[in-house]
Amino acid sequence: MLNRLVVAALPVIPKSIVGLVSRRYIAGERLTDAVDQIRILNAGGFSCTTDLLGEYITRLDEADANRRQIEAIFSAIEEQRLNSTVSVKLSQMGLLLDKGACYKNVRALVELAHLKGNRLTIDMEDSSTVDATWDIFYRLRAEGFTNIGMVAQAYLHRIQDDMRKFIRQGGGEIRLCKGIYIEPVSISYRNREDVRRNFMQVLEILLDGGAKVGIATHDDVLVEQSAAMILKRKAPASAYEFQMLLGVRESLRDSVRRRGHPLRVYVPYGESWYAYSVRRLRENPQIAGYVFKAMFGRA
Ligand SMILES: Cc1cc2nc3c(=O)[nH]c(=O)nc-3n(C[C@H](O)[C@H](O)[C@H](O)COP(=O)(O)OP(=O)(O)OC[C@H]3O[C@@H](n4cnc5c(N)ncnc54)[C@H](O)[C@@H]3O)c2cc1C
């Protein structure tokens, strides 16, 4: 209840307070901050994927600027010999403004990643963008690019069909998560158990189909069920990895790693940290309690 009140009061909470809380979930404002964080995580045995914050842009020149910044991420990864891929949201590349321009931007990034021996994962956004995102992915695949990963959201009713199609079309690398957007009940499961059940069914389809799955969750139940499925199938470490967000459930993250599973950490950074933090707080009112504590000097 208190957490929901804090979320409702977000517009009047000072940015500095939100900043205090989000420091844990965001590497910093600059690429060098992300590089420092990745180096620490790599030394601890984690691979990473780097994410430049800033989505749902309103002008195409912002997409160009984002693309250039992401190109710099690939260069930094190469120069500093970091173990990190890059994740991108298509609304950041202009998907909602001009699909052709978005395609060209993403193509440039995938090509650069290919030249540098790296990979690009296309994050999945709200349901209005799902078809267009898959279109761009299949177009790039048809051009021969194999270094692109996609994301499956287990809360979508359509996801099992999408995954069967993905496997039929050659499969590849895919991150499986619950899905973070607030979607209508007509197209999505809202009940926690339904989402978990679908998550596990999708994981089975993907492992059966020979995809490489990024199991992206901090939910103990899903982590345990996924680990059990992997063990039962004797899936090699090349067939899966766990994935978690920077700063979230670090003790779970460490224990998964100690058990010998590969684990990738999603490392967001950038000047748009405030919008990202507010979105996270709205989606996970549990963290809002930290804002309350920060406001009263107990964080
Ligand atoms: C690597 C990665 C990439 C993702 N990419 C996408 C994407 O492209 N598209 C998309 O729609 N969604 C994406 N997500 C988000 C995902 O869909 C879920 O919304 C999110 O992971 C929370 O679900 P959960 O499975 O962790 O379970 P939950 O039941 O939501 O969380 C389990 C527990 O983890 C903790 N927790 C979870 N999230 C947070 C958080 N943000 N801050 C603090 N504590 C938290 C809480 O203690 C919670 O009780 C991604 C998630 C990860 C880990």
Side-chain angles (χ1 to χ4, degrees), residues 55 68 97 109 132 141 145 155 161 169 182 188 236 276 299:
E55 59 225 41
R68 281 194 293 274
L97 305 173
L109 290 178
R141 283 287 286 267
F145 291 108
Y155 64 15
D161 290 338
Q169 305 267 337
I182 295 165
S188 67
Y276 175 84

Side-chain angles (χ1 to χ4, degrees), residues 179-198:
I180 206 162
Y181 300 88
I182 295 165
E183 299 290 358
V185 285
S186 55
I187 61 161
S188 67
Y189 300 105
R190 301 309 311 171
N191 174 289
R192 169 182 278 248
E193 287 311 318
D194 291 339
V195 177
R196 279 181 176 152
R197 191 175 319 108
N198 210 33

Side-chain angles (χ1 to χ4, degrees), residues 124 153 175 178-180 192 217-218 248-249 284 286:
M124 193 56 87
Q153 295 159 318
R175 173 193 305 151
K178 286 183 179 174
I180 206 162
R192 169 182 278 248
T217 182
H218 320 89
V248 175
R249 305 218 51 201
N284 191 347
Q286 272 182 307

Side-chain angles (χ1 to χ4, degrees), residues 1-10 13 281 284-296 298:
M1 180 66 176
L2 174 65
N3 292 344
R4 292 198 185 281
L5 279 176
V6 175
V7 169
L10 271 176
I13 292 176
L281 284 163
N284 191 347
Q286 272 182 307
I287 341 172
Y290 301 132
V291 178
F292 181 77
K293 287 183 191 153
M295 283 179 81
F296 292 92
R298 288 193 280 124

